[in-house]
């Protein structure tokens, strides 16, 4: 096999294999390749008919795409898209969505700091850390109780979510 250094000392760019050339043609055409790499492509394309043919074909395709007239979006485009979406089931649930859930099940019933992801994650981290420390160090007997505090925000938020779901189910069955 030819090594990468079969043409050492000449300061020339390493020859490009056809597969590499075809793979990178789009980037070459986009002009996103580095100068040196771009030069390797240039030289390969100059010497390789097969790749040059691909190059010409891709280039003309890009030019054609660039020159396509921009079509205005049909006026009913949005409606057509929306009509294709199965909204029937969603609409059937409309009354359900309009039902007011009890205030203690609304998200805003809990203070923002309890609902905040950071509080919940920090709390969980705290619990894990305390439980871990307690396991290793055999801490005081009240430590597990302290650890439970950490999961309170997460539990509150989850209970609320569960409550909302139960409430919605109850309504759905009526
Ligand atoms: Zn080639």
């Amino acid at each position: 096999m030819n090594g990468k250094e079969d043409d050492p000392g000449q300061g020339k760019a390493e020859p490009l294999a056809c597969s590499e050339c075809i793979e990178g043609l789009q980037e070459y055409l986009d002009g996103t390749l580095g100068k040196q790499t771009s030069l390797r492509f240039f030289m390969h394309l100059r010497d390789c008919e097969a790749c040059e043919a691909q190059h010409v074909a891709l280039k003309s395709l890009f030019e054609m795409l660039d020159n396509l007239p921009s079509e205005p979006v049909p006026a009913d485009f949005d409606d057509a898209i929306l009509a294709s979406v199965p909204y029937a089931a969603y609409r059937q649930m409309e009354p359900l969505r309009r039902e007011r859930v009890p205030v203690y099940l609304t998200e805003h019933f809990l203070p923002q700091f309890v609902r905040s992801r950071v509080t919940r994650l920090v709390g969980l981290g705290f619990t894990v850390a305390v439980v871990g420390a307690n396991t290793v160090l055999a801490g005081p007997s009240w430590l597990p109780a302290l650890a439970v505090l950490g999961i309170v925000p997460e539990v509150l938020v989850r209970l609320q979510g569960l409550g909302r779901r139960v409430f919605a189910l109850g309504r759905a069955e009526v």
Side-chain angles (χ1 to χ4, degrees):
M1 293 302 270
N2 281 343
K4 288 193 169 185
E5 301 298 324
D6 62 342
D7 193 13
Q10 294 221 7
K12 277 192 176 176
E14 193 182 308
L16 201 66
C18 286
S19 58
E20 291 179 280
C21 182
I22 297 302
E23 231 171 78
L25 260 186
Q26 182 167 346
E27 280 152 300
Y28 175 69
L29 280 166
D30 288 343
T32 55
L33 296 172
K35 206 173 174 184
Q36 188 72 4
T37 311
S38 201
L39 183 67
R40 289 167 68 206
F41 274 79
F42 175 82
M43 297 204 305
H44 183 90
L45 291 170
R46 189 190 57 189
D47 299 334
C48 176
E49 270 183 50
C51 287
E52 175 59 10
Q54 292 279 329
H55 175 223
V56 169
L58 197 59
K59 194 174 172 183
S60 61
L61 175 67
F62 281 3
E63 280 165 3
M64 197 187 78
L65 292 175
D66 282 344
N67 292 327
L68 281 180
S70 55
E71 289 288 326
V73 177
D76 60 351
F77 183 75
D78 285 357
D79 290 340
I81 295 284
L82 289 176
S84 71
V85 177
Y87 270 123
Y90 181 77
R91 286 201 199 95
Q92 278 172 6
M93 292 175 73
E94 176 74 39
L96 194 69
R97 282 195 304 279
R98 264 190 283 179
E99 289 296 347
R100 294 193 48 141
V101 292
V103 69
Y104 59 86
L105 288 183
T106 60
E107 285 185 354
H108 295 279
F109 185 69
L110 291 176
Q112 168 63 35
F113 79 89
V114 171
R115 280 182 286 137
S116 120
R117 223 180 151 61
V118 176
T119 309
R120 289 155 62 190
L121 285 177
V122 169
L124 287 179
F126 174 76
T127 297
V128 170
V130 171
V131 168
N134 194 40
T135 311
V136 177
L137 302 172
S141 56
W142 47 262
L143 207 56
L146 186 67
V148 170
L149 279 182
I151 61 170
V152 166
E154 180 70 17
V155 167
L156 280 178
V157 170
R158 278 172 190 270
L159 273 180
Q160 242 198 355
L162 187 68
R164 277 198 294 274
R165 235 165 296 150
V166 170
F167 186 80
L169 280 176
R171 289 284 174 173
E173 278 162 12
V174 172

